[in-house]
Amino acid sequence: MYRFMLCSLFLCLPGITLAGDDFKIDGKFTGNGKAAKLNSLVVKKGDNDRKGRLILMFSEKTPKASDTDVAAMFGRLGDALVITMKEDGKITGCLVAHTAHGDGGFQSIGEIECKDFKIADGKISGKLTTNGEQKAFGKNWEVDLKFTGKMP
């Protein structure tokens, strides 16, 4: 289990369903009792040190093509969760950020997994879960979130 603290932030998404033309998000995402506003899911292919990886950016504000997880970490995308994974669904990075907790975000790897993962017909889908509430850096957070997004 790896944890790397950049700053303290947490996400929340109470049991709601959000859908756009290219994505669907359904489930809950909680942290310290605060609700996150996740209005977008963008899937990107990783480059440089994340070549061969997929980056799933769940965020309040729709990212621009040039936005990365650094934009999410520093609050430029509002509430955000950024998942880095291999094309088999194994999570290799998880950035948690929430505007209600001030500046910055934190990395939490090992507490979250992807189940029912699938890439087919130009779409990616799965279920992100922490298998119950987790503690990181003195904060509580939980994810039970189904998603479908458009592959890049």
Side-chain angles (χ1 to χ4, degrees):
M1 176 184 313
Y2 295 94
R3 290 185 184 167
F4 178 72
M5 182 172 173
L6 298 171
C7 291
S8 295
L9 287 185
F10 289 86
L11 298 173
C12 309
L13 178 64
I16 63 171
T17 300
L18 298 169
D21 292 338
D22 297 329
F23 72 93
K24 182 177 179 183
I25 303 169
D26 186 27
K28 77 175 180 178
F29 201 164
T30 62
N32 284 352
K34 304 285 182 179
K37 299 171 187 165
L38 298 180
N39 300 315
S40 175
L41 169 58
V42 174
V43 181
K44 297 182 176 187
K45 289 193 177 195
D47 55 14
N48 300 323
D49 62 333
R50 293 190 285 184
K51 195 167 190 152
R53 304 271 198 276
L54 297 171
I55 301 166
L56 285 67
M57 298 180 71
F58 297 85
S59 59
E60 178 179 0
K61 298 175 185 174
T62 302
K64 298 174 187 167
S66 62
D67 282 336
T68 66
D69 48 349
V70 174
M73 179 175 59
F74 290 108
R76 292 192 300 261
L77 301 179
D79 299 325
L81 172 69
V82 181
I83 302 294
T84 304
M85 63 173 45
K86 294 181 179 180
E87 291 197 18
D88 64 1
K90 182 178 186 306
I91 294 175
T92 60
C94 174
L95 172 70
V96 180
H98 193 295
T99 56
H101 292 101
D103 296 328
F106 69 88
Q107 295 282 343
S108 185
I109 303 171
E111 291 82 12
I112 191 165
E113 66 178 314
C114 188
K115 297 180 178 180
D116 304 324
F117 182 76
K118 185 171 143 183
I119 296 176
D121 302 321
K123 294 188 178 188
I124 182 172
S125 63
K127 178 181 179 182
L128 296 172
T129 183
T130 56
N131 294 307
E133 190 173 68
Q134 301 295 316
K135 260 194 178 221
F137 312 110
K139 308 289 183 178
N140 297 323
W141 66 294
E142 182 176 0
V143 176
D144 188 14
L145 192 64
K146 290 182 182 181
F147 67 90
T148 301
K150 183 178 177 183
M151 282 294 289

